[in-house]
Amino acid sequence: MVQSLWKRTRETMSSFVVSHVAGESGRKLPQYVAGLAASGGALAAGTFLGWTSPAEIPLVQQQDYGFTITSEQFSWIGSMANLGAAAVCFPIGILMKMIGRKWAMLTMALPLILGWLLIIFASNVAMMMVGRFFLGVGGGAFCISAPTYTAEIAQASIRGTMGSFFQLLVTVGILFVYAVGAGVSVQVLSIICGVIPIAFAAIFFFMPESPQYYVEKERYDDASKSLKWLRGDRYDERAEIEELKEDQAKLLADKITFVDSFKQKTTIRAMIISLGLMFFQQMSGINAVIFYTASIFDEANTGMNATDATIIVGVIQVVATLLATFIVDKAGRRILLLISAVAMAVSTTLLAVFFQLKEDDPSQVTDLGWLPVMSVCLFIGVFSIGFGPIPWLMVGELFANNVKAYVSPLSGVFNWMLAFLVTKIFGNLRDALGAAGVFWLFTGFSALGAIFVFFLVPETKGISLAEIQQILGGEKVKRNSVQKSEDTAEASRVEA
């Protein structure tokens, strides 16, 4: 009954797109539906990332759960999720190859559900820490599996748009927690967040497996059925399957060992750039700002309800991320990274100055309650158009296909471990250096990030993956007029 209803629904959705002859370019709406369903995991990841901000004051100061949680203990609760995410980066890649992208993602709903259950029924700090670790495992796995699945099911003309779904829904998840957390207790908020992975699993169960996975397993009939689901019944999928077969054969032919991959000049340089971008992304202080937004505003005595301020920040993050999806392929990676780094340095400088003035004489900032709000909003906005999405985007662009399986998870582990470090020690640094000292430190890292981008990061906009490898190898790439004309024609076709 359910399958019959779902089939009729899918046929109705597909009817929105005009049907042509066999061999048509393929319907887009089913692909968008599958991509959005997969990105439900991003929504779940966003909720665990944003949860600590509305939860800190009720748990630490008001003891909502009936047991004492110190600031030090809460720093562990907040940061344990990052350890869980780091721990799953390699296993999720293996799992996707073993049981497929779809079932790996469905499996990862289980640690999310378990994590929220531990937090909902927590009777001590240890239960909350373990719960946060499991949330990190599930959410971190989606950070790898969902973009992979989306890229593999989408046609080239809409791959960029669908690829933006993940980052966008992460920010929507953070905003959702900020907004809901303003009106309910931490326990009720956790119950609501726990429903999201259940809803994700119920919806995503009806989506198709990636056709690329089926080709890897030589299950070509299943790959054909998957493509028919995604592109429409009249789509001639044979050419696409042959292309996937050729790509898989080339990947196997070019396969190298883990050790040999790091003997290549292009891989070493790509790794330096990738890890450098991840380092400056996290050392800008983004996770500290997101996790502790409420306490920053509370400490600043802005006169604004701290919860309202975090909601404003969440809205700005969603809008800026949405903007980034439209401009990243037009403005270019380097310029957005440079703008992002410089503007983040300016915003953390303003925060440092505000807290320095407050520390010297609180009366000096009586009428400056708007300054930390404006500074945090600026920081979140410029991060979301540059250092937020672009380092992850460039990981997919910089590495050759035959080494991605080894090095991409390394970038993920490095990023989450840095996120753990920043989240864990933010409270300690705030105690040792004061709020002003911490934000001066973040300013320095953002400034160094701008220098790093200027001297070491190449522009990859409009450049093929093969040409990127040539640039990393030290070769000068000359693009002739024919190539440029073809690129222009392709861009016009995609926009049309």
Side-chain angles (χ1 to χ4, degrees):
M1 176 67 181
V2 174
Q3 290 181 339
S4 176
L5 177 61
W6 175 250
K7 183 178 180 181
R8 289 199 300 271
T9 303
R10 186 168 70 85
E11 289 173 351
T12 302
M13 291 189 301
S14 297
S15 69
F16 281 108
V17 184
V18 178
S19 192
H20 298 295
V21 296
E24 63 178 3
S25 61
R27 296 167 178 153
K28 306 300 187 294
L29 189 57
Q31 298 173 59
Y32 283 125
V33 170
L36 282 170
S39 296
L43 187 67
T47 58
F48 92 76
L49 288 172
W51 179 88
T52 49
S53 185
E56 182 185 15
I57 293 174
L59 291 180
V60 176
Q61 297 181 15
Q62 300 167 4
Q63 296 186 10
D64 265 15
Y65 267 51
F67 55 88
T68 301
I69 300 176
T70 66
S71 295
E72 174 66 16
Q73 289 171 330
F74 189 80
S75 71
W76 278 105
I77 291 171
S79 56
M80 283 300 291
N82 297 309
L83 285 183
V88 81
C89 285
F90 281 101
I92 189 60
I94 297 171
L95 195 62
M96 285 193 295
K97 284 188 173 294
M98 288 177 56
I99 64 175
R101 286 52 157 167
K102 173 183 174 178
W103 286 103
M105 292 169 71
L106 287 172
T107 302
M108 286 300 105
L110 297 177
L112 285 171
I113 295 169
L114 177 59
W116 285 120
L117 285 174
L118 285 167
I119 290 174
I120 291 165
F121 297 106
S123 58
N124 52 58
V125 172
M127 284 183 69
M128 284 200 163
M129 290 175 60
V130 174
R132 288 283 297 173
F133 181 86
F134 278 115
L135 290 179
V137 169
F142 278 117
C143 290
I144 295 174
S145 57
T148 300
Y149 175 85
T150 302
E152 290 179 355
I153 65 168
Q155 289 178 287
S157 60
I158 59 172
R159 188 171 294 135
T161 301
M162 287 180 61
S164 69
F165 288 169
F166 185 84
Q167 184 69 22
L168 180 61
L169 284 180
V170 167
T171 61
V172 170
I174 293 172
L175 174 59
F176 174 81
V177 170
Y178 287 173
V180 175
V184 300
S185 68
V186 174
Q187 189 171 48
V188 172
L189 173 63
S190 301
I191 293 172
I192 294 170
C193 290
V195 172
I196 293 176
I198 297 174
F200 157 78
I203 295 171
F204 192 63
F205 178 81
F206 296 100
M207 299 300 113
E209 177 58 88
S210 160
Q212 183 165 321
Y213 167 74
Y214 284 136
V215 169
E216 289 175 6
K217 299 298 182 182
E218 299 183 358
R219 294 166 57 181
Y220 304 123
D221 288 342
D222 289 329
S224 176
K225 292 175 184 176
S226 176
L227 285 170
K228 288 287 189 183
W229 195 105
L230 292 163
R231 312 284 193 262
D233 291 335
R234 299 191 181 187
Y235 178 73
D236 188 347
E237 78 285 1
R238 288 172 294 182
E240 187 168 351
I241 289 178
E242 287 303 315
E243 184 179 353
L244 289 172
K245 285 182 181 179
E246 291 174 8
D247 290 343
Q248 180 65 14
K250 187 176 186 304
L251 189 63
L252 292 173
D254 295 339
K255 189 174 182 179
I256 59 175
T257 65
F258 179 82
V259 174
D260 288 341
S261 67
F262 287 96
K263 294 179 181 178
Q264 299 178 344
K265 178 181 178 181
T266 55
T267 302
I268 294 172
R269 189 176 175 194
M271 180 61 76
I272 291 171
I273 295 169
S274 173
L275 296 185
L277 290 175
M278 294 300 185
F279 177 82
F280 289 112
Q281 181 197 67
Q282 290 300 328
M283 298 310 291
S284 68
I286 180 60
N287 270 308
V289 172
I290 289 178
F291 281 23
Y292 298 104
T293 299
S295 62
I296 290 172
F297 287 128
D298 185 60
E299 187 177 342
N301 294 322
T302 61
M304 177 187 294
N305 182 293
T307 304
D308 293 339
T310 58
I311 293 174
I312 293 172
V313 168
V315 170
I316 289 173
Q317 189 175 23
V318 171
V319 172
T321 304
L322 186 60
L323 174 64
T325 65
F326 294 109
I327 65 175
V328 68
D329 282 325
K330 294 181 174 62
R333 281 61 157 158
R334 286 186 83 248
I335 187 64
L336 289 178
L337 286 170
L338 286 169
I339 292 172
S340 180
V342 171
M344 284 192 300
V346 170
S347 61
T348 49
T349 296
L350 292 174
L351 283 168
V353 169
F354 175 87
F355 284 108
Q356 189 67 61
L357 290 173
K358 183 187 176 186
E359 183 180 324
D360 295 341
D361 182 4
S363 64
Q364 296 183 89
V365 297
T366 304
D367 298 323
L368 292 177
W370 54 270
L371 183 59
V373 176
M374 183 200 74
S375 301
V376 171
C377 289
L378 173 64
F379 181 91
I380 293 293
V382 295
F383 176 86
S384 298
I385 66 169
F387 263 91
I390 292 177
W392 292 106
L393 171 65
M394 294 193 73
V395 167
E397 294 179 328
L398 292 172
F399 294 108
N401 286 333
N402 62 337
V403 302
K404 276 183 183 177
Y406 302 130
V407 293
S408 294
L410 281 178
S411 298
V413 171
F414 184 69
N415 185 281
W416 285 111
M417 290 303 295
L418 282 174
F420 163 76
L421 178 67
V422 173
T423 307
K424 175 64 188 70
I425 68 172
F426 177 75
N428 304 97
L429 285 174
R430 190 170 51 182
D431 294 337
L433 304 176
V438 173
F439 286 113
W440 280 124
L441 186 64
F442 290 153
T443 297
F445 280 119
S446 292
L448 288 173
I451 295 171
F452 176 84
V453 171
F454 185 82
F455 286 105
L456 292 178
V457 178
E459 179 57 73
T460 58
K461 181 193 77 169
I463 300 176
S464 71
L465 297 180
E467 290 170 333
I468 291 173
Q469 292 305 302
Q470 291 175 358
I471 292 172
L472 292 174
E475 301 177 35
K476 291 185 178 180
V477 177
K478 295 181 180 180
R479 312 191 76 198
N480 59 41
S481 57
V482 174
Q483 287 175 306
K484 291 180 180 178
S485 298
E486 289 175 349
D487 290 348
T488 303
E490 174 65 14
S492 300
R493 185 186 67 77
V494 170
E495 290 176 3

